Amino acid sequence: MLDGSALQPGDIAGLGLLNMPSGWIGLVRTGPGFVLRAYNQLLDETLDRPLDSPRVFLRATGDYDNDLAQLSYSTDGATFTPLGTALRLPYQLKTFQGTRYALFAFNSEGREGGCAQFDDFHVAEPLADRSQNLPLGKIITLTNLGNGTSVWSNRNGMLHSARPGSPEAQSPGIRFRVHDRGQGRVALEAIDGSGFITVVGLGLSGDVRLCKQETDGSLFQWQDMLRGQCMLLSLKNHRYVAIDPHTGEPYSAESPGARPDRKDGAVFTWREAAE
């Protein structure tokens, strides 16, 4: 919340998104009173709204999937009204930095101004705590994001792929119980009774097996990728479980990680399934 009661004519104070281009929303003290202003440097856009009170709540809401932020304001702290066009949030290469929050107050007329009082500055990061994203104790199915196939425990005891619509994709072999082993580590047990997903040997294609007894090779670090996506890091060889999406070969544990598009066979979507 910004209280601009002590601002002097020519003072500007508010909440900024510091980058190149930048943007901000804040109070401007004029002779007659106060104006709420939003500025977008990329569009050279300035929008003003009259205010009856020097007390206003300011907010910047980030959409980090699309690298955009929307500035808004409220007079009661409950209902926020957007002001201005959404701001771009680039990672610029002049100083190699992303967008940073800023609270500011200055006099635009080159003279000594007053002061701004900021209170209750709050940063909400709803996606920061990923502990609730792990399906611990649940039965799930895993679908490879690279080719849309289901992870399947085949009859030969190897982790393989089942194509959508196939009998294998409807079988109990695509369902796994996620056992909690602490600190984000899990063991995955096939519901069809074939055993635990386990990395053996060097982790080459065909070395991700289903074993009746849980071993050190059955331990994986569940890497949450948000929105129901994950990767499985083998703690036996510190490589990711993956397939080549184009060859149809069994799973391996030799991937160093995923490409930015997540379509190289190392990223899965998971869904909770019935027992």
Side-chain angles (χ1 to χ4, degrees), residues 12-146:
I12 303 175
L15 170 66
L17 296 178
L18 182 61
N19 206 337
M20 294 183 290
S22 63
W24 56 268
I25 184 170
L27 282 179
V28 178
R29 176 64 192 270
T30 64
F34 295 91
V35 171
L36 181 73
R37 177 171 296 169
Y39 177 67
N40 184 325
Q41 184 184 31
L42 179 64
L43 303 178
D44 194 23
E45 175 187 76
T46 301
L47 293 176
D48 287 352
R49 294 287 185 273
L51 277 183
D52 296 329
S53 168
R55 294 167 57 90
V56 64
F57 295 83
L58 306 175
R59 175 182 288 178
T61 304
D63 174 3
Y64 300 110
D65 289 331
N66 296 298
D67 291 331
L68 294 171
Q70 180 63 58
L71 301 175
S72 59
Y73 70 97
S74 172
T75 56
D76 60 9
T79 302
F80 282 80
T81 302
L83 185 61
T85 306
L87 301 168
R88 287 289 174 188
L89 300 176
Y91 181 83
Q92 45 81 15
L93 300 180
K94 291 185 178 181
T95 58
F96 295 94
Q97 289 176 300
T99 301
R100 290 138 288 157
Y101 292 107
L103 300 179
F104 64 89
F106 67 96
N107 188 278
S108 62
E109 298 176 357
R111 60 187 181 187
E112 184 175 350
C115 65
Q117 297 183 36
F118 293 94
D119 187 26
D120 192 27
F121 181 76
H122 179 66
V123 178
E125 297 181 280
L127 298 179
D129 180 8
R130 301 186 178 188
S131 61
Q132 302 304 311
N133 296 353
L134 277 64
L136 302 176
K138 298 179 180 179
I139 296 173
I140 65 168
T141 61
L142 292 165
T143 301
N144 197 291
L145 202 62

Side-chain angles (χ1 to χ4, degrees), residues 145-160:
L145 202 62
N147 60 8
T149 59
S150 298
V151 176
W152 169 54
S153 57
N154 77 358
R155 301 176 188 86
N156 297 319
M158 290 187 293
L159 200 66
H160 218 297

